[in-house]
Amino acid sequence: MFFTRYLSKMLFVMGLATASVFIFAIAPQWAIVNILRLPYSETFATNYFDQGHYLIYQHWGVMVGFMGVVMVVAAFKQSWRNSVVFYSFAEKFLMVLLFVGSRGFANENTHGFFPVIIVDTIVSVWTIGYWIEQRSMFPNPAIKQQPRVSGFKS
């Protein structure tokens, strides 16, 4: 039961990694240039940043950053885990699908997303493993379980 045993540790570590995306809400221009490695020039700044695109990155930073905070809380608060695990899987698996679907590996302008994709892939695979283990812990209630008998009757 590897995935179940270490779920809280995964939520804590990957939650901290996910929360680090808050940098996009705080310093979007720095993060876009230094983390995503998108090219920066005055033309880029005039045509891109001045048109309100900061808001998109800041919104993404807040949304994903808070997802990380909630994952960290769920590491310690078991009553939060089911919904947090489900939502984090949905958010992170979709990001991986978007990256792969847009051929992100072939586009050098999206190579800055590799750390995000690595974290999101780990959380997605972990969640699938966790769900498989949880299913094995709870057998199908439609199948009648035979009671265990200790000793022999003569």
Side-chain angles (χ1 to χ4, degrees):
M1 305 299 277
F2 176 80
F3 295 105
T4 302
R5 178 180 299 145
Y6 296 107
L7 179 67
S8 62
K9 289 175 179 51
M10 184 279 296
L11 285 169
F12 182 74
V13 172
M14 293 298 135
L16 289 177
T18 301
S20 71
V21 175
F22 266 125
I23 193 69
F24 285 88
I26 298 165
Q29 182 175 334
W30 181 89
I32 291 165
V33 173
N34 294 301
I35 295 174
L36 296 182
R37 306 262 186 241
L38 291 176
Y40 181 82
S41 67
E42 288 306 316
T43 305
F44 180 71
T46 304
N47 294 329
Y48 192 77
F49 291 132
D50 291 345
Q51 296 177 12
H53 289 93
Y54 270 133
L55 240 71
I56 303 278
Y57 286 101
Q58 288 176 315
H59 181 258
W60 180 66
V62 168
M63 277 189 356
V64 175
F66 273 120
M67 180 73 246
V69 169
V70 171
M71 288 172 72
V72 169
V73 171
F76 299 100
K77 193 164 176 77
Q78 193 167 2
S79 63
W80 285 35
R81 287 190 189 156
N82 286 339
S83 54
V84 169
V85 166
F86 174 76
Y87 184 76
S88 69
F89 174 78
E91 182 264 324
K92 291 176 176 310
F93 188 67
L94 181 60
M95 182 66 183
V96 172
L97 287 179
L98 288 171
F99 185 81
V100 171
S102 68
R103 295 184 6 215
F105 294 107
N107 183 350
E108 69 182 38
N109 290 324
T110 60
H111 288 179
F113 280 100
F114 282 163
V116 173
I117 297 306
I118 289 168
V119 168
D120 289 358
T121 301
I122 289 170
V123 172
S124 298
V125 169
W126 198 290
T127 302
I128 291 168
Y130 171 72
W131 283 340
I132 290 169
E133 286 180 353
Q134 292 301 304
R135 183 170 178 214
S136 69
M137 287 175 54
F138 302 105
N140 186 346
I143 300 171
K144 185 173 178 167
Q145 300 293 321
Q146 297 296 324
R148 292 188 178 170
V149 179
S150 61
F152 293 102
K153 290 186 179 183
S154 43

